[in-house]
Amino acid sequence: MEGCRWTTAGTLLLASLVLSSRTARSEEDRDSLWDAWGSWSECSRTCGGGASYSLRRCLSSKTCEGRNIRYRTCSNVDCPPEAGDFRAQQCSAHNDVKYQGQFYEWLPVSNDLENPCSLKCQAKGTALVVELAPKVLDGTRCYTESLDMCISGLCQIVGCDHQLGSAVKEDNCGVCNGDGTTCRLVRGQYKSQLSANKLDDMVVAIPYGSRQIRLMLKGPDHLYLETKTLQGVKSENSLSSTGSFLVENSSISFQKLPDKEILRIPGPLTADFTIKIRYAGAADSSVQFIFYQPIVHRWRETDFFPCSASCGGGYQLTSAECFDLRSSRVVADQYCHYYPENIKPKPKLQECNLDPCPASDGYKQIMPYDLYHPLPRWESTPWTACSSSCGGGIQSRSVSCVEEDMQGHISPVEEWKCMYTPKMPVVQPCNIFDCPKWLAQEWSPCTVTCGQGLRYRVVLCIDHRGMHTGGCTPKTKPHIKEECIVPTPCYKPKEKLPVEAKLPWYKQAQELEEGAMVSEEPSFIPEAWSTCSVTCGVGSQVRLVKCQVLLSFSQSVADLPIDECEGPKPVSQRACYSGPCNGEATEYTPEESELLYGSLQEFDELYDWEYEGFTECSESCGGGVQEAVVTCLNKQTRETVDETLCVTSRRPPQLLKACSLDPCPPRWEIGKWSTCSLTCGVGLQTRDVFCSHLLSRETNETIVLADELCYTPKPSLVQACNRFDCPPSWYPTEWQECSQTCGSGVQKRDMLCKQHLVDGSLLELPETFCSTPRPVTQQVCKNEDCPSEWLLSDWTQCSVSCGEGTQSRNAICRKMLKTGHFVINSSLCPPLPFSSLTRPCALDTCTRHNRPVHKQSPHIMAIKKVYIQTRKQKKLHFVVGGYAYLLPKTSVNLRCPTRRFRKSMITWEKDDKRLISSAHITITPYGLIKINRLKPSDTGTYTCTAGPVQEHFVIKLIGSNKIIARQPASIREEETMRKPSLNEALRTEEKHVNRILFNGSKAEKRGHLVDPSRWYDYIVSRLIQYRGWPGENLASWEAQESTERNASSEEDQSREYSLPFTMITEQKRLDDIISNLSQQPEELKDVYTEQLVVQLAQEVFKSHLEHQESVIRASRKGLDTTSMEHPVHRHVSGFTSSLRTSSAEAFLPTSVDPVNGLRRPHRKPAILRKISAAQQLSASEVVTHLGQTVVLASGTLSVLLHCEAVGNPKPTISWAKNGEEVEYNERMLLQPDDSLQILEPVEADVGFYACNASNALGSDSVSIAVTLAGKPLIKASRATVINTESPAVTVDIGSTVKTIQRVNVTISCQVAGVPEAEVTWFKNKVKLSFAHHLHDGLLLIPNVSLSDQGLYSCKAANLRGEVTESSQLLVLEPPRPLPYLKDLTAVLSSAGTSAHSVLTSSSGTNMTISPGSSALIDGW
């Protein structure tokens, strides 16, 4: 057992050693005890195809089956021309080795059939051939024209795929394992027509890429070459001597013999070769040539075209384009048609964009597309009735492309969707056979031999098949008998009437006329006559006559009793004559003779016509006709004789019968060749060939079948035509790409003078050869307008030279039109993120050179903030580094905190002038200055200097009308100028800012402003004039001056106001706003300014509230935890998301709510105006606040309109739409929080919705617009306003205004819509200029007179549409006193003092009466 264990352990140890040597063995290797194959050796050659080997070793002491070496090819790339032959290199390696005591220059001996892998070399200049090595190096070609290579001294087969053992060969086109379809064999013969006057001529042009070229010239002339590379380089080779040489990198073998020249080029050619012949003798020469020409123009299937629909299921097709393999570009289709081998691929069709479309009208959802519905198909209506029953007519039908949806409904679609199959014909001929017509046979002989008689003829109605039928017009039937006169005098008494013919013509004419056929009506049907009862002489014939009827339901014939048929019954017996008996004439009575023959002349006739069989059928299938053969017979011998022996007039009529009634098999229907595609240079003709099946030859009805059902080879569809050289003409190149992808651009192309030769090649000629004018080489591109785009300038330099700073750049929205003009309008581009216009930048850390590291420079701890004082305070404390906009008479303490600098060394300057302490301004030794009660002269820039560093602080005053003072000397003048209008007050400031924003220098536009304080003034002015602040009206700031003059700063701060005493914001925040404004165009400046100021106000007030909340929470830490927390800002907290309000009282938290036991003051209602945009909670729900515009999008299922109102008593909320109270229903809901919800909105819900809040103290109302798809909406009224007293009247557009003269009329046009609509005013349809008082949608008509009467229209338009509303303005004339009442005193005085006076007059009439008189006044 121990020995066994040892043996097992030893075996395992040996196995582990074996496994550790090689770990990459395969299962086959392990089974056969072979080790794994080793790595491949280096390639024996670096180019031209070499060999590499891999080894393995046998792990068994016995012999392993198989080989221990394997080979593979490598370096299968062509060697450069200068590398030389590999076998030649091996021979030349022995040049330095003596052979039999001498040095030789060895040349290779190739193609040794006995031992191709031995190195045999020949000494140059001698016949000495020596085997210098038993085997060549691995990778050497066995033969010069073969890929087979020598490996280990043996010739191994190598395929064109460069794999050992592969039998794959190149086809004649040079394609490995190809099928020979990429080239075509060209062979031909040229016979020279040279002479002393014509010294050279072109034999053949062989294009680039051709292979296996062989030409042989017989005769005295000589060959020479002309070449032209793809780059246009031309050269010539005279081929003067025998040899092998390179021409344009193509190997050429040329043999020049006494009576012939042979040229061989294996190819492929690397240039276009033109073989020419040069005159050398009087005898004619001929050239035979053969080569394989590549088909350089091939059909290439295109990608699928864009989908026909962007969603909901569409179709896309492919096409085929002719591709030039040489130039790698698309060319005209005719180039591919030149090669019959090219078959144009059929277009493919596939479905695309199957995702369902989003709802397009806002109220419907498109059903999902069925992925399995059938493809579109051609569908036709039935053929119309033929326009003619015979003689050729037309019948038509309509063919349309239809599509079937998943419910089975069929609807028409665009025809291109069905183009993957051929369209069915819409018109076809019908009844093209000739109409039946009367056919009259020749006249019979006259019935008498002298005098007056009758003659007869047979008249048949013959159809297009030659059959005797009906259908001819009886009125046009020719007559069958007429009188005739024989000029021979008669010796018998003249007959009064012409003699009627007896036999045979009259009877034959009658019988042929009868032509009985079985019908659905009972009729007599005679059968054929029997043979004559005698063989000679006069006998009789009989036939059977039946009464028959055709049973239509079974298509069978039934016999009926004779009495069922009406009309005369045909005869069933007749006499017959079989010729004379035994050569003797038989005597008959005159009556028998007259009855049988009609005349003695007919009796003696020996020859007569008879029917003898039928001709072959005219058609092999589908119904044809056979014609009875009529022969002239000897009545006695029954032999056929010459037709001249029979009387022509007695020849029986033509008889036809139908035959070959079986349907025809499918056959090819071939159309006519089209006109030649080219007038010269070998064009192409095409024709339609389709497989058809003839159903009926009578109706010519055929059906089209698949090509596979026609078993014979399909006839050719294409043939060459116009095979002669074209005259030189201009050939344009393809238009280059447009210089612009959109907008205005140009395309260019080259024009080359070329001649299209009969061999299909193009010969380039000088431009003078083309006689026609040169076509245009440049044209304007047919582009569309370019999409709007932001054009961004380069980033400015970093705002600091070291440390962290910012960079900015400008942006302009530009749109290029296809006319080449530009439109610059920021509203055309999507909003640009602020982050794309500014970015941070970081430079190296700031250091001070030439100073010891331990000595740091002084530092002023500045605070970069902007302070805006809103209420009077006695004293304010600031730190340098910012801006302060303060109210007059406020005391200021300004500190300059420093590090690493003595405060007593700090110096102060104002406007670059050193400050000295005075009674008004005090400078303390602790880096502090005190300014007592600010006055206009104190405005300016205060500079704190601490050694090498400085910081500034700017102080500006806010005037009584909230205008920032600039020059102390002109404060009163400015205030005087600004009193009339707030807009005029800001006009100067805005002009300067606009000049910087849009016309400033590059430095100013990049943020390097000459006077940045002007920018701050502009923003602060807009902020303090903002009307949306909560709390008391800001216009009452100055009214507090007298009440607050004696109050301390602490007392002021103890009071609660809606606004902070001093608004504070970061200076960087104003820099960001200014930078943003500098990028905006002029037309959007006011909009962006308003938005940014509102956002700034929101941030300032929110920061103030958060600060005040923190102070209150800190002060209440000692209160009882059970007491209710006082919600100081429950009502004003809403201001963080909405600032607009119509009543400042709504935000005055002057008392606490009743929960804390405090009484609240009475306030009139105020509705909170929200500035936030509508919130899209989901794809179908929109929530918004008042003051916004709601756009009903597709799929909107709910719109919630919030209305928040404050007041004491609590206001009552009601809703109105377009001035009428909203009627609530299951879709229009009033929510518990007084919000209005519209479910499943429809177009009828579009309008202006007003939220009305009212209590005992007053009311407030705010509107919100709801529009569809962004189309503009105008708030209109249909009221009639009559004004006879007020000096001013304001109405909404749509109203009718009747007013007296000298009144200011304002018409309001409130517009909503997304994008924002542009408002235009018209009077009597004439546009009003901006000289009128137009602003904010208001039209002011001052001092109205009669000339102002008319129709005033407001048009609102944006990209989604436009809408117009109008108001009629009528001016009332003042009342005129009646003429006879002008002097009332005179009228009354004339009546006496005691008389009563009665006066009727208009209102406003003055009347004077005497004391004691009475008057009755009737006013009207």
Side-chain angles (χ1 to χ4, degrees):
M1 292 297 293
E2 292 179 358
C4 291
R5 292 194 192 99
W6 183 89
T7 303
T8 303
T11 304
L12 293 175
L13 177 60
L14 176 60
S16 64
L17 292 175
V18 172
L19 290 175
S20 64
S21 62
R22 299 283 181 97
T23 58
R25 298 177 56 200
S26 64
E27 293 297 333
E28 181 183 357
D29 295 336
R30 292 168 186 160
D31 295 341
S32 60
L33 296 180
W34 280 106
D35 196 1
W37 286 105
S39 59
W40 291 100
S41 67
E42 292 186 1
C43 194
S44 62
R45 300 184 63 185
T46 58
C47 62
S52 176
Y53 64 88
S54 174
L55 298 173
R56 63 177 177 175
R57 62 181 178 177
C58 180
L59 301 179
S60 173
S61 59
K62 299 180 182 180
T63 302
C64 295
E65 295 182 2
R67 302 182 60 184
N68 67 336
I69 187 170
R70 60 179 179 176
Y71 295 92
R72 69 176 182 183
T73 60
C74 51
S75 300
N76 294 309
V77 293
D78 294 336
C79 293
E82 63 271 11
D85 181 63
F86 190 38
R87 189 182 290 266
Q89 294 176 9
Q90 298 175 55
C91 286
S92 62
H94 294 268
N95 291 346
D96 298 334
V97 180
K98 288 184 178 181
Y99 177 77
Q100 295 181 352
Q102 292 187 16
F103 290 102
Y104 293 97
E105 182 179 351
W106 299 101
L107 300 178
V109 176
S110 302
N111 302 325
D112 183 5
L113 298 179
E114 294 182 359
N115 191 3
C117 291
S118 63
L119 182 62
K120 291 183 179 180
C121 305
Q122 182 178 3
K124 186 176 182 180
T126 69
L128 178 63
V129 177
V130 180
E131 184 180 287
L132 297 179
K135 53 184 179 180
V136 293
L137 296 179
D138 290 347
T140 305
R141 294 277 187 260
C142 301
Y143 308 100
T144 55
E145 301 299 329
S146 172
L147 293 175
D148 298 345
M149 66 172 58
C150 295
I151 296 178
S152 190
L154 297 177
C155 184
Q156 302 287 342
I157 296 176
V158 177
C160 61
D161 55 357
H162 298 286
Q163 299 298 317
L164 285 174
S166 171
V168 177
K169 302 292 183 181
E170 287 186 351
D171 63 2
N172 292 325
C173 307
V175 178
C176 185
N177 202 23
D179 56 1
T181 59
T182 60
C183 65
R184 59 201 305 246
L185 178 64
V186 179
R187 66 168 71 233
Q189 183 172 356
Y190 166 85
K191 291 185 178 180
S192 68
Q193 300 175 355
L194 300 178
S195 63
N197 297 326
K198 185 178 181 182
L199 298 179
D200 57 9
D201 194 11
M202 186 185 78
V203 176
V204 63
I206 306 176
Y208 172 96
S210 298
R211 292 172 174 266
Q212 303 182 36
I213 302 143
R214 187 176 185 275
L215 293 94
M216 183 170 64
L217 178 144
K218 293 182 179 180
D221 299 330
H222 297 298
L223 295 174
Y224 71 98
L225 296 176
E226 284 186 358
T227 62
K228 180 182 178 183
T229 65
L230 295 181
Q231 292 75 29
V233 180
K234 297 181 180 180
S235 62
E236 183 177 314
N237 192 293
S238 60
L239 301 177
S240 57
S241 60
T242 299
S244 298
F245 43 88
L246 287 177
V247 175
E248 298 296 345
N249 290 328
S250 295
S251 177
I252 292 179
S253 175
F254 179 70
Q255 286 180 283
K256 189 174 182 66
L257 303 174
D259 59 342
K260 62 182 178 181
E261 294 179 358
I262 300 175
L263 177 66
R264 292 185 178 91
I265 310 175
L269 296 184
T270 56
D272 290 332
F273 278 48
T274 302
I275 312 298
K276 293 192 173 183
I277 188 171
R278 182 172 287 120
Y279 176 75
D284 291 338
S285 298
S286 65
V287 180
Q288 292 180 342
F289 55 86
I290 183 172
F291 60 91
Y292 285 94
Q293 175 187 347
I295 301 178
V296 296
H297 298 108
R298 304 287 297 235
W299 291 112
R300 184 177 71 174
E301 191 174 50
T302 65
D303 294 333
F304 280 96
F305 291 144
C307 193
S308 62
S310 60
C311 60
Y315 305 90
Q316 52 187 170
L317 288 168
T318 63
S319 182
E321 57 190 9
C322 188
F323 188 72
D324 190 335
L325 302 179
R326 292 172 51 176
S327 60
S328 297
R329 62 188 179 92
V330 178
V331 296
D333 287 358
Q334 66 189 36
Y335 290 97
C336 287
H337 290 313
Y338 175 75
Y339 304 101
E341 299 89 343
N342 279 342
I343 299 177
K344 188 173 184 179
K346 295 182 179 180
K348 297 178 181 177
L349 180 141
Q350 72 177 13
E351 295 175 294
C352 53
N353 293 344
L354 301 178
D355 294 333
C357 292
S360 58
D361 57 358
Y363 311 108
K364 293 189 295 186
Q365 292 287 343
I366 295 179
M367 296 299 294
Y369 198 72
D370 184 5
L371 302 181
Y372 304 100
H373 77 292
L375 290 176
R377 65 179 185 272
W378 294 112
E379 191 167 272
S380 63
T381 59
W383 290 106
T384 60
C386 192
S387 60
S388 177
S389 61
C390 59
I394 295 294
Q395 56 184 167
S396 61
R397 63 180 176 183
S398 61
V399 177
S400 59
C401 183
V402 298
E403 183 179 43
E404 185 176 352
D405 60 15
M406 58 186 179
Q407 284 84 23
H409 300 148
I410 296 177
S411 58
V413 295
E414 297 87 346
E415 285 196 354
W416 68 263
K417 294 184 178 180
C418 293
M419 293 305 292
Y420 63 93
T421 58
K423 185 176 180 180
M424 296 182 289
V426 297
V427 177
Q428 72 174 10
C430 54
N431 296 342
I432 58 176
F433 50 85
D434 294 335
C435 293
K437 55 186 177 181
W438 294 108
L439 179 64
Q441 303 291 331
E442 293 185 7
W443 289 104
S444 68
C446 197
T447 56
V448 297
T449 57
C450 63
Q452 182 180 8
L454 295 175
R455 63 177 183 176
Y456 296 84
R457 64 179 176 183
V458 177
V459 177
L460 305 176
C461 181
I462 303 299
D463 63 7
H464 65 283
R465 297 168 297 175
M467 304 294 292
H468 176 46
T469 183
C472 297
T473 305
K475 293 182 179 179
T476 61
K477 180 179 180 180
H479 55 278
I480 63 172
K481 71 177 179 178
E482 66 179 8
E483 295 181 358
C484 57
I485 297 177
V486 178
T488 303
C490 293
Y491 298 98
K492 296 180 180 180
K494 291 184 178 180
E495 302 179 35
K496 294 182 179 180
L497 294 175
V499 179
E500 292 288 341
K502 298 297 187 292
L503 288 177
W505 280 105
Y506 183 70
K507 184 174 184 61
Q508 184 182 11
Q510 282 185 331
E511 290 178 353
L512 289 176
E513 286 283 326
E514 292 171 359
M517 295 179 64
V518 181
S519 64
E520 294 182 1
E521 294 293 331
S523 57
F524 290 108
I525 305 299
E527 295 183 355
W529 289 104
S530 66
T531 58
C532 194
S533 59
V534 296
T535 58
C536 63
V538 178
S540 64
Q541 286 179 298
V542 295
R543 66 178 177 181
L544 187 62
V545 178
K546 297 180 179 180
C547 179
Q548 294 180 330
V549 66
L550 177 66
L551 303 179
S552 59
F553 65 92
S554 62
Q555 290 297 306
S556 60
V557 177
D559 294 335
L560 300 177
I562 296 299
D563 56 356
E564 291 293 331
C565 290
E566 298 179 356
K569 179 181 178 182
V571 296
S572 59
Q573 184 176 1
R574 68 178 181 182
C576 59
Y577 173 69
S578 301
C581 297
N582 300 325
E584 297 179 356
T586 305
E587 295 183 358
Y588 299 99
T589 62
E591 290 77 10
E592 292 176 337
S593 299
E594 186 70 17
L595 177 64
L596 184 60
Y597 301 106
S599 68
L600 293 175
Q601 181 180 358
E602 295 175 351
F603 181 82
D604 294 335
E605 287 288 345
L606 181 60
Y607 305 102
D608 199 2
W609 301 98
E610 283 193 12
Y611 294 110
E612 191 173 274
F614 287 86
T615 62
E616 292 184 2
C617 191
S618 61
E619 300 289 343
S620 61
C621 60
V625 293
Q626 288 179 293
E627 182 180 0
V629 178
V630 179
T631 59
C632 181
L633 293 178
N634 187 317
K635 293 181 180 179
Q636 296 179 354
T637 64
R638 308 302 297 172
E639 294 180 354
T640 302
V641 296
D642 189 84
E643 292 186 355
T644 57
L645 298 177
C646 292
V647 180
T648 304
S649 60
R650 297 178 61 183
R651 184 185 182 98
Q654 181 186 36
L655 290 181
L656 302 174
K657 73 174 182 178
C659 57
S660 299
L661 301 178
D662 295 333
C664 292
R667 66 180 180 181
W668 295 109
E669 291 290 340
I670 302 175
K672 295 182 180 180
W673 288 109
S674 65
T675 56
C676 194
S677 62
L678 296 176
T679 58
C680 58
V682 185
L684 292 175
Q685 287 179 295
T686 60
R687 63 181 177 181
D688 294 329
V689 178
F690 57 91
C691 183
S692 69
H693 180 48
L694 181 65
L695 297 181
S696 171
R697 193 173 300 278
E698 293 184 1
T699 61
N700 200 33
E701 182 180 0
T702 61
I703 58 174
V704 178
L705 304 177
D707 289 355
E708 296 77 10
L709 298 179
C710 284
Y711 301 107
T712 59
K714 187 173 183 178
S716 174
L717 302 177
V718 181
Q719 73 175 8
C721 52
N722 293 341
R723 300 185 181 183
F724 52 85
D725 293 343
C726 295
S729 59
W730 294 106
Y731 282 81
T733 61
E734 294 293 327
W735 286 106
Q736 300 175 3
E737 290 186 0
C738 188
S739 58
Q740 301 284 344
T741 57
C742 58
S744 177
V746 294
Q747 287 178 296
K748 295 182 179 179
R749 64 177 178 181
D750 293 331
M751 279 291 171
L752 304 177
C753 182
K754 296 182 179 181
Q755 185 178 19
H756 199 168
L757 304 180
V758 70
D759 61 359
S761 62
L762 283 174
L763 179 62
E764 189 169 345
L765 301 172
E767 294 183 359
T768 55
F769 280 66
C770 290
S771 58
T772 58
R774 184 187 182 98
V776 295
T777 58
Q778 182 172 319
Q779 69 177 7
V780 178
C781 307
K782 296 180 180 179
N783 290 339
E784 299 296 330
D785 294 345
C786 292
S788 304
E789 60 178 347
W790 286 106
L791 298 182
L792 301 174
S793 65
D794 295 334
W795 289 103
T796 62
Q797 294 182 354
C798 193
S799 59
V800 297
S801 59
C802 61
E804 295 183 355
T806 59
Q807 289 178 284
S808 62
R809 59 181 175 181
N810 297 329
I812 295 177
C813 178
R814 186 183 73 176
K815 179 177 183 178
M816 175 186 258
L817 304 180
K818 57 185 176 184
T819 58
H821 298 92
F822 288 94
V823 175
I824 298 178
N825 189 342
S826 296
S827 62
L828 301 178
C829 294
L832 196 62
F834 179 74
S835 59
S836 63
L837 301 177
T838 60
R839 70 178 182 184
C841 55
L843 302 178
D844 296 336
T845 305
C846 298
T847 58
R848 290 282 186 174
H849 299 288
N850 300 327
R851 288 175 178 263
V853 178
H854 61 277
K855 290 187 177 180
Q856 298 183 8
S857 60
H859 173 64
I860 300 176
M861 295 177 290
I863 299 178
K864 303 293 185 179
K865 291 190 177 182
V866 179
Y867 307 89
I868 306 171
Q869 186 181 4
T870 62
R871 297 179 181 275
K872 288 293 185 180
Q873 294 172 277
K874 279 191 173 183
K875 186 184 296 183
L876 294 174
H877 299 269
F878 302 102
V879 176
V880 294
Y883 283 68
Y885 294 82
L886 308 176
L887 298 175
K889 302 178 184 179
T890 302
S891 296
V892 173
N893 285 359
L894 181 59
R895 292 192 307 114
C896 182
T898 62
R899 288 183 179 178
R900 298 180 295 277
F901 193 80
R902 294 175 58 185
K903 291 183 174 54
S904 60
M905 301 288 291
I906 294 175
T907 60
W908 289 91
E909 293 179 351
K910 177 181 180 292
D911 297 334
D912 297 330
K913 294 182 181 180
R914 184 73 174 268
L915 275 179
I916 302 175
S917 292
S918 63
H920 182 61
I921 298 178
T922 303
I923 302 176
T924 67
Y926 307 105
L928 174 69
I929 63 171
K930 299 180 180 180
I931 306 174
N932 187 28
R933 295 179 65 82
L934 287 174
K935 54 186 179 180
S937 61
D938 295 325
T939 59
T941 302
Y942 292 82
T943 304
C944 167
T945 303
V949 295
Q950 290 182 336
E951 282 294 346
H952 308 282
F953 191 86
V954 179
I955 296 179
K956 296 197 176 184
L957 292 186
I958 302 175
S960 59
N961 52 1
K962 292 178 287 182
I963 299 301
I964 299 173
R966 295 202 175 281
Q967 301 292 339
S970 60
I971 290 178
R972 294 181 180 178
E973 181 180 353
E974 286 187 3
E975 291 176 353
T976 303
M977 295 174 61
R978 294 172 180 173
K979 283 182 180 179
S981 170
L982 180 61
N983 291 331
E984 293 178 2
L986 291 176
R987 191 169 300 154
T988 303
E989 179 65 28
E990 291 178 352
K991 283 183 178 180
H992 177 78
V993 173
N994 291 341
R995 187 164 58 250
I996 294 176
L997 290 176
F998 305 102
N999 302 316
S1001 64
K1002 292 183 179 180
E1004 290 174 329
K1005 287 185 176 181
R1006 292 176 180 174
H1008 305 296
L1009 303 177
V1010 178
D1011 185 8
S1013 64
R1014 288 181 174 269
W1015 293 72
Y1016 292 165
D1017 295 352
Y1018 177 71
I1019 300 300
V1020 173
S1021 297
R1022 299 295 293 264
L1023 185 63
I1024 62 179
Q1025 293 165 13
Y1026 175 63
R1027 296 293 184 182
W1029 293 105
E1032 298 175 355
N1033 194 333
L1034 297 181
S1036 63
W1037 287 357
E1038 279 21 333
Q1040 302 173 16
E1041 179 180 351
S1042 60
T1043 60
E1044 296 176 347
R1045 183 170 299 166
N1046 299 323
S1048 65
S1049 175
E1050 291 76 7
E1051 293 171 345
D1052 291 336
Q1053 294 174 358
S1054 66
R1055 297 175 56 188
E1056 291 185 1
Y1057 292 91
S1058 296
L1059 283 176
F1061 289 102
T1062 303
M1063 293 186 291
I1064 303 174
T1065 184
E1066 295 291 336
Q1067 187 175 335
K1068 184 179 182 302
R1069 184 68 181 94
L1070 264 65
D1071 293 339
D1072 294 342
I1073 294 175
I1074 293 168
S1075 177
N1076 198 346
L1077 287 177
S1078 66
Q1079 316 302 321
Q1080 307 308 326
E1082 171 68 22
E1083 63 270 17
L1084 297 180
K1085 177 182 69 67
D1086 287 335
V1087 176
Y1088 276 89
T1089 303
E1090 180 67 17
Q1091 293 179 358
L1092 295 174
V1093 167
V1094 170
Q1095 294 176 8
L1096 180 61
Q1098 174 183 345
E1099 294 168 4
V1100 170
F1101 193 80
K1102 182 178 180 181
S1103 176
H1104 166 66
L1105 293 179
E1106 292 173 352
H1107 173 70
Q1108 193 168 359
E1109 290 276 353
S1110 62
V1111 172
I1112 294 174
R1113 284 196 297 268
S1115 64
R1116 291 181 178 174
K1117 287 183 179 180
L1119 297 178
D1120 186 10
T1121 57
T1122 61
S1123 62
M1124 182 178 295
E1125 184 177 349
H1126 174 48
V1128 178
H1129 299 287
R1130 190 179 72 172
H1131 297 290
V1132 298
S1133 60
F1135 181 70
T1136 60
S1137 61
S1138 174
L1139 293 173
R1140 295 184 180 272
T1141 182
S1142 63
S1143 175
E1145 294 178 3
F1147 287 96
L1148 286 176
T1150 57
S1151 64
V1152 187
D1153 63 26
V1155 178
N1156 293 301
L1158 301 178
R1159 186 180 63 86
R1160 299 176 58 192
H1162 291 284
R1163 301 187 188 131
K1164 63 181 181 179
I1167 298 176
L1168 307 185
R1169 275 74 161 178
K1170 303 283 186 175
I1171 64 170
S1172 58
Q1175 182 181 5
Q1176 192 86 16
L1177 295 183
S1178 66
S1180 60
E1181 185 175 2
V1182 177
V1183 178
T1184 188
H1185 296 274
L1186 296 176
Q1188 302 299 312
T1189 297
V1190 176
V1191 179
L1192 297 180
S1194 60
T1196 303
L1197 300 180
S1198 171
V1199 175
L1200 188 63
L1201 308 179
H1202 276 305
C1203 181
E1204 300 179 23
V1206 295
N1208 191 15
K1210 181 180 179 181
T1212 300
I1213 301 297
S1214 63
W1215 288 87
K1217 175 192 172 187
N1218 296 334
E1220 299 181 0
E1221 185 176 354
V1222 172
E1223 296 182 1
Y1224 303 110
N1225 51 38
E1226 65 275 3
R1227 280 198 321 105
M1228 202 76 65
L1229 307 175
L1230 182 64
Q1231 299 297 333
D1233 60 350
D1234 295 326
S1235 298
L1236 178 65
Q1237 186 174 19
I1238 307 174
L1239 299 178
E1240 299 179 0
V1242 295
E1243 188 173 359
D1245 296 328
V1246 171
F1248 282 86
Y1249 289 81
C1251 174
N1252 302 312
S1254 60
N1255 65 8
L1257 301 180
S1259 63
D1260 191 12
S1261 178
V1262 178
S1263 297
I1264 183 171
V1266 177
T1267 181
L1268 177 64
K1271 184 179 178 181
L1273 188 65
I1274 296 179
K1275 183 180 181 182
S1277 173
R1278 297 295 179 258
T1280 299
V1281 178
I1282 302 176
N1283 176 49
T1284 58
E1285 296 180 356
S1286 177
V1289 60
T1290 300
V1291 297
D1292 287 330
I1293 190 71
S1295 304
T1296 299
V1297 183
K1298 299 180 181 179
T1299 182
I1300 59 177
Q1301 299 187 41
R1302 295 184 295 278
V1303 171
N1304 294 334
V1305 175
T1306 302
I1307 303 177
S1308 173
C1309 181
Q1310 184 178 347
V1311 177
V1314 178
E1316 185 177 354
E1318 180 181 354
V1319 175
T1320 308
W1321 284 94
F1322 299 85
K1323 178 184 177 184
N1324 297 330
K1325 299 184 179 180
V1326 178
K1327 184 178 179 180
L1328 294 176
S1329 64
F1330 286 98
H1332 293 74
H1333 298 271
L1334 307 173
H1335 61 89
D1336 298 334
L1338 301 177
L1339 174 65
L1340 174 61
I1341 310 173
N1343 200 20
V1344 168
S1345 62
L1346 291 175
S1347 62
D1348 294 321
Q1349 288 190 124
L1351 184 68
Y1352 290 85
S1353 302
C1354 169
K1355 183 179 77 172
N1358 63 8
L1359 297 177
R1360 301 298 180 87
E1362 64 180 38
V1363 63
T1364 303
E1365 291 286 349
S1366 302
S1367 286
Q1368 186 76 34
L1369 175 61
L1370 302 174
V1371 178
L1372 303 175
E1373 296 185 7
R1376 298 180 181 178
L1378 297 177
Y1380 57 86
L1381 296 179
K1382 289 184 179 179
D1383 193 354
L1384 298 180
T1385 304
V1387 174
L1388 295 176
S1389 60
S1390 63
T1393 58
S1394 61
H1396 298 282
S1397 299
V1398 179
L1399 176 64
T1400 301
S1401 67
S1402 60
S1403 61
T1405 304
N1406 296 325
M1407 180 176 66
T1408 304
I1409 60 177
S1410 302
S1413 299
S1414 60
L1416 177 61
I1417 301 175
D1418 183 12
W1420 52 274

